Amino acid sequence: LAKTTQPISMDSYEGQEVNITCSHNNIATNDYITWYQQFPSQGPRFIIQGYKTKVTNEVASLFIPADRKSSTLSLPRVSLSDTAVYYCLVRPAGANNLFFGTGTRLTVIP
Amino acid sequence: GAVVSQHPSWVICKSGTSVKIECRSLDFQATTMFWYRQFPKQSLMLMATSNEGSKATYEQGVEKDKFLINHASLTLSTLTVTSAHPEDSSFYICSARGGLAGVDEQFFGPGTRLTVL
């Protein structure tokens, strides 16, 4: 399984766009990139998943360069309620097991 | 979206007792369920994977005799922490997968906080 590396923590002011980058140098051809969000004392919540280029949903955008060795989760205009830990995972399509890395603790400041 | 529940949401027990945690998929049939453990300020660690009607597959370092997993139906999996000790105090989270066409993701429960005195 490809190992992922993310910043341990980030701070941002309310209303700003936040970009969290994840490195996955050993990503395999059939691997997808998935991001989860976890609030304190809650289970993780799926945010977005992609394979290449750009994916956008109502919550976030995911940018993946051509070499796929990294990905960037973009959260537009964050609010205090976006304070959470964000995990980047890389796994083959249809794979059962999810292995969570350290995640990025995002703190949104008023 | 698919909903996964856990019960109880928190439990306090004495050392040496056993605790059972339930994980239910409320609106879909989960062919596979997963159990994770998370210590404070740390990431989730996969403990085991269970398929309905078969024995669970445990990750390396997880004692199968201590953490008993039963997945008797497509909507219910249970984790029993036997002879719990203070070091077993943690946040236990389950997830479920399957039953939703075209959806390749796991749906996580809200977690169960176990405190062993």
Side-chain angles (χ1 to χ4, degrees):
Chain A
L1 291 172
K3 181 180 178 180
T4 60
T5 302
Q6 307 173 231
I8 296 295
S9 64
M10 293 179 68
D11 293 339
S12 175
Y13 287 102
E14 267 191 299
Q16 290 190 330
E17 177 185 78
V18 171
N19 296 309
I20 306 175
T21 298
C22 177
S23 297
H24 27 80
N25 291 316
N26 297 323
I27 190 169
T29 304
N30 59 340
D31 284 343
Y32 281 74
I33 301 155
T34 310
W35 285 79
Y36 283 84
Q37 174 193 56
Q38 186 183 26
F39 296 113
S41 296
Q42 293 188 30
R45 183 175 73 103
F46 173 89
I47 301 176
I48 198 166
Q49 177 173 288
Y51 183 81
K52 62 180 179 180
T53 62
K54 177 183 174 182
V55 179
T56 297
N57 61 23
E58 64 278 6
V59 177
S61 294
L62 179 59
F63 298 92
I64 306 169
D67 65 6
R68 305 201 324 123
K69 291 184 183 298
S70 68
S71 59
T72 299
L73 174 73
S74 181
L75 305 172
R77 297 180 299 281
V78 294
S79 64
L80 296 177
S81 61
D82 293 318
T83 294
V85 178
Y86 293 82
Y87 294 97
C88 162
L89 286 80
V90 173
R91 63 182 177 113
N96 267 334
N97 299 351
L98 296 181
F99 293 96
F100 288 78
T102 56
T104 297
R105 186 173 299 275
L106 172 67
T107 302
V108 180
I109 307 166
Chain B
V3 179
V4 175
S5 70
Q6 284 185 238
H7 178 79
S9 55
W10 59 269
V11 57
I12 301 173
C13 70
K14 293 182 179 179
S15 185
T17 60
S18 294
V19 174
K20 179 185 285 188
I21 302 169
E22 292 185 350
C23 175
R24 294 181 185 273
S25 55
L26 298 185
D27 51 3
F28 69 102
Q29 293 186 326
T31 52
T32 307
M33 285 185 165
F34 309 83
W35 286 95
Y36 296 82
R37 180 168 54 182
Q38 185 175 34
F39 293 107
K41 303 292 186 184
Q42 294 187 24
S43 187
L44 286 79
M45 287 179 46
L46 179 65
M47 298 175 67
T49 302
S50 73
N51 293 296
E52 184 263 339
S54 63
K55 288 184 178 180
T57 302
Y58 290 80
E59 294 300 308
Q60 191 172 10
V62 179
E63 300 174 57
K64 62 178 70 173
D65 294 330
K66 181 170 184 63
F67 299 99
L68 302 179
I69 293 172
N70 184 282
H71 191 167
S73 77
L74 285 172
T75 59
L76 173 65
S77 176
T78 60
L79 167 68
T80 301
V81 183
T82 62
S83 187
H85 291 284
E87 58 265 30
D88 297 322
S89 297
S90 187
F91 192 52
Y92 292 87
I93 307 169
C94 74
S95 70
R97 180 168 181 258
L100 298 177
V103 177
D104 178 28
E105 65 178 272
Q106 291 182 22
F107 299 94
F108 286 82
T112 297
R113 186 161 303 282
L114 169 64
T115 301
V116 184
L117 301 177

